[in-house]
Amino acid sequence: MRLSRYFMPILRDDPKEAEIVSHKLMLRAGMIRQEAAGSYSWLPMGYRVLKKIEQIVREEQNRAGAIEVLMPTIQSADLWRKSGRYDAYGKEMLRIKDRGDREMLFGPTNEEMITDIFRQGVQSYKDVPRNLYHIQWKFRDEVRPRFGVMRGREFLMKDAYSFDLTREAGQHSYNKMFVSYLKTFARLGLKAVPMRAETGPIGGDDSHEFLILAETGESEVFFDKGFHDMDWGAFEIDFDNVEDVAKVVKEFTSKYAATSEMHDAADYEKRVPADRRVTGRGIEVGHIFFFGTKYSEPLGCQVQGPDGKMVVLQSGSYGIGVSRLVGGIIEASHDKDGIIWPESVAPFDIGLINLKSGDAEADAACEKLYAGLTAKGKDVLYDDRAQPGGAKFATMDLIGLPWQVIIGPRGLKDGIAEIKNRKTGARENVALDKVVERLTG
RNA sequence: CGGGGCGUAGCGCAGUCUGGUAGCGCACCUGCCUUGGGCGCAGGGGGUCGCGAGUUCGAAUCCCGCCGCCCCGACCA
């Protein structure tokens, strides 16, 4: 993409409504635009990142055996009356009426609907276990939306729902999602520490939330420093192997980690030596629940077992805040100059800077590199605008692409380009005809 | 939902107290210059001052009503 033809409205100053760094940077980098409190348009740069995160989440869900569906954003109130949550959910649920005066709602989550879908589609114990998920926009009429996409009212969430015959099988489904989340967050360049959580309005028996550490997190967290040294996703796992999966879960739940709501100071001090205690702040990016028959019972989600008797299914739900992750990754990865995208989610792989746009030699060198890198499958954002070099560097640092290729008269006279790594700041001079190889080899 | 604050050009702000028909910086446009960290000179465009109703010869400014947004708290993915 040539910057001269793109839509990337960047700002030099911080908009005053933005309080935290990810919100400021997302606005400054032209990723989002606020439409109402807690409601954002995703501009091209932001949308690219959102789609990349969504795709990684999807791939890891598929790898763990979950099956993708898509449910509507608008739901009927009737289903929610059956589960008893129509009243229980309170003002956070956005309620609307259609032309026939029927009560509808903008879905804040989908336990009821998916349970109803699954109930209608299965009759036998042979039809379980299953895990269905979708990645869809949710609406929760938050009392107080804030921090940009971190707490929006409309947000993109991956939510998965597992159905099993027995509690033990349900536990395995829960464990699979637990492990899948570790791998998902690792691919996003994050260490998301699993912490035992309260079940909240979703309800249920077992629950963990995954928090990434960042100064601006909404939750205070207490954990064992040993978490830093663990293997966060490089491990191979066979999701069908019940013992192996359980072993990983055990490993990641054996060390102390808790949010302030669940924090037990006495237990903390007993289990974690003083020099390994870390107190910080965290951002919740995932939350998993095992709730047994809480929804399958009232919604009649049952199958016939091997002995011919009806069995109410055990279920769990598993959420990842996809749009929140965009902000969360920035909170975890930025510096004074701007965003530092992990390569896996960067909106473009490479920023190509032409320091002398309009100069025949510089233009030709850039065009050749742009074509060469693109041909190798790299997404390149080529800054071909007629702007002073300083402005181009500042822009490129702000938007945080992992690699910058800098072409200017100084290097061109020796036939070289400068390559800069955004994260480390390391620069290297590379012969023009070796640049493509260096960045794709 | 309680408390506080703010709405004036794309962004950041001044002007409001004390009424006289809107200004600054950045951004943008044109020309020249420049091209390795937000460059220089000159010229220029853009705003029904959140909305409505009042007071007044005259309202961004005063009065009344409404809307929107932000922050703190309580609440929450």
Side-chain angles (χ1 to χ4, degrees):
Chain A
M1 178 57 62
R2 290 161 202 274
L3 202 38
S4 65
R5 300 179 191 178
Y6 203 42
F7 186 76
M8 189 180 82
I10 60 169
L11 298 172
R12 192 160 168 170
D13 299 315
D14 290 331
K16 67 174 173 185
E17 75 266 21
E19 196 70 11
I20 63 170
V21 66
S22 63
H23 192 196
K24 287 178 181 171
L25 288 172
M26 286 181 77
L27 290 166
R28 284 191 55 209
M31 294 175 66
I32 52 169
R33 192 184 93 115
Q34 180 166 358
E35 300 299 348
S39 167
Y40 295 85
S41 289
W42 291 80
L43 306 184
M45 278 301 229
Y47 194 45
R48 275 183 167 255
V49 175
L50 186 69
K51 287 299 217 184
K52 287 215 169 181
I53 295 172
E54 177 183 345
Q55 184 55 25
I56 288 173
V57 169
R58 174 177 290 117
E59 287 170 14
E60 292 302 325
Q61 288 291 291
N62 292 345
R63 199 192 302 273
I67 307 157
E68 187 168 17
V69 298
L70 183 62
M71 292 174 266
T73 54
I74 305 291
Q75 307 183 20
S76 156
D78 291 346
L79 267 179
W80 287 73
R81 291 210 173 87
K82 276 191 205 168
S83 73
R85 284 210 293 180
Y86 191 64
D87 296 323
Y89 223 94
K91 297 187 84 168
E92 209 161 279
M93 179 186 282
L94 180 66
R95 294 149 208 261
I96 46 186
K97 282 185 179 170
D98 69 6
R99 64 199 300 164
D101 221 29
R102 283 174 287 260
E103 292 181 80
M104 315 284 283
L105 57 99
F106 198 118
T109 180
N110 288 65
E111 278 85 6
E112 283 78 0
M113 187 175 282
I114 195 75
T115 304
D116 198 51
I117 289 171
F118 198 71
R119 177 192 64 78
Q120 182 263 323
V122 300
Q123 284 81 40
S124 159
Y125 71 95
K126 295 170 188 169
D127 296 323
V128 294
R130 292 289 188 278
N131 181 327
L132 301 179
Y133 77 97
H134 74 161
I135 300 172
Q136 175 65 294
W137 293 91
K138 304 289 188 287
F139 194 98
R140 294 184 191 175
D141 202 355
E142 291 281 344
V143 196
R144 189 175 161 208
R146 61 183 134 175
F147 302 147
V149 301
M150 303 291 284
R151 179 165 297 284
R153 290 193 295 175
E154 190 169 344
F155 59 99
L156 187 61
M157 178 162 112
K158 184 286 298 181
D159 40 323
Y161 304 90
S162 65
F163 299 92
D164 286 275
L165 199 62
T166 65
R167 198 179 165 83
E168 295 68 44
Q171 184 67 49
H172 177 54
S173 290
Y174 182 89
N175 289 350
K176 283 203 285 190
M177 285 291 109
F178 186 108
V179 173
S180 170
Y181 276 30
L182 291 174
K183 296 183 78 71
T184 302
F185 295 126
R187 278 187 68 187
L188 296 170
L190 299 170
K191 283 182 183 173
V193 181
M195 307 193 184
R196 184 161 290 279
E198 286 184 296
T199 48
I202 308 275
D205 308 323
D206 199 3
S207 178
H208 286 90
E209 49 189 10
F210 290 73
L211 290 101
I212 57 176
L213 303 172
E215 290 165 21
T216 44
E218 290 189 274
S219 323
E220 188 174 25
V221 297
F222 305 84
F223 65 99
D224 188 327
K225 202 166 117 187
F227 266 111
H228 285 312
D229 308 319
M230 299 182 78
D231 176 358
W232 284 88
F235 57 84
E236 284 300 318
I237 189 85
D238 172 3
F239 280 104
D240 289 330
N241 188 316
V242 176
E243 288 74 31
D244 282 3
V245 172
K247 204 156 70 183
V248 175
V249 173
K250 194 174 174 196
E251 187 189 345
F252 277 87
T253 51
S254 61
K255 289 188 171 57
Y256 189 93
T259 59
S260 51
E261 295 85 44
M262 298 291 282
H263 183 51
D264 176 345
D267 188 37
Y268 185 47
E269 282 162 30
K270 194 177 84 187
R271 287 171 58 191
V272 188
D275 63 329
R276 280 191 7 215
R277 290 176 203 152
V278 182
T279 303
R281 301 201 69 84
I283 299 165
E284 181 184 347
V285 289
H287 201 157
I288 60 180
F289 303 87
F290 182 70
F291 42 68
T293 59
K294 180 177 162 87
Y295 299 99
S296 37
E297 180 82 58
L299 291 161
C301 185
Q302 49 189 347
V303 296
Q304 201 167 19
D307 58 0
K309 291 186 179 141
M310 299 306 286
V311 181
V312 176
L313 293 177
Q314 303 278 328
S315 58
S317 76
Y318 316 90
I320 289 181
V322 176
S323 49
R324 171 181 284 183
L325 273 166
V326 180
I329 290 170
I330 295 172
E331 289 294 331
S333 181
H334 66 272
D335 64 15
K336 66 174 173 45
D337 296 320
I339 302 165
I340 302 172
W341 289 117
E343 300 206 15
S344 57
V345 300
F348 293 89
D349 303 310
I350 297 161
L352 176 59
I353 297 177
N354 186 344
L355 285 175
K356 200 171 179 180
S357 291
D359 173 77
E361 194 187 358
D363 288 354
C366 286
E367 290 294 339
K368 196 173 173 190
L369 284 174
Y370 181 62
L373 289 164
T374 304
K376 289 284 188 180
K378 290 292 178 186
D379 275 331
V380 181
L381 185 64
Y382 171 26
D383 191 348
D384 57 340
R385 300 168 306 159
Q387 292 247 329
K392 293 191 173 186
F393 288 126
T395 298
M396 209 51 92
D397 285 347
L398 172 65
I399 66 176
L401 306 182
W403 295 97
Q404 295 173 14
V405 176
I406 301 157
I407 300 295
R410 204 170 77 189
L412 279 178
K413 69 175 164 29
D414 301 320
I416 58 168
E418 183 175 272
I419 295 178
K420 177 182 153 188
N421 182 291
R422 175 66 180 87
K423 185 176 183 178
T424 65
R427 297 154 185 276
E428 54 186 295
N429 290 320
V430 177
L432 284 172
D433 57 1
K434 299 289 186 199
V435 170
V436 174
E437 186 186 327
R438 169 67 186 80
L439 290 170
T440 60

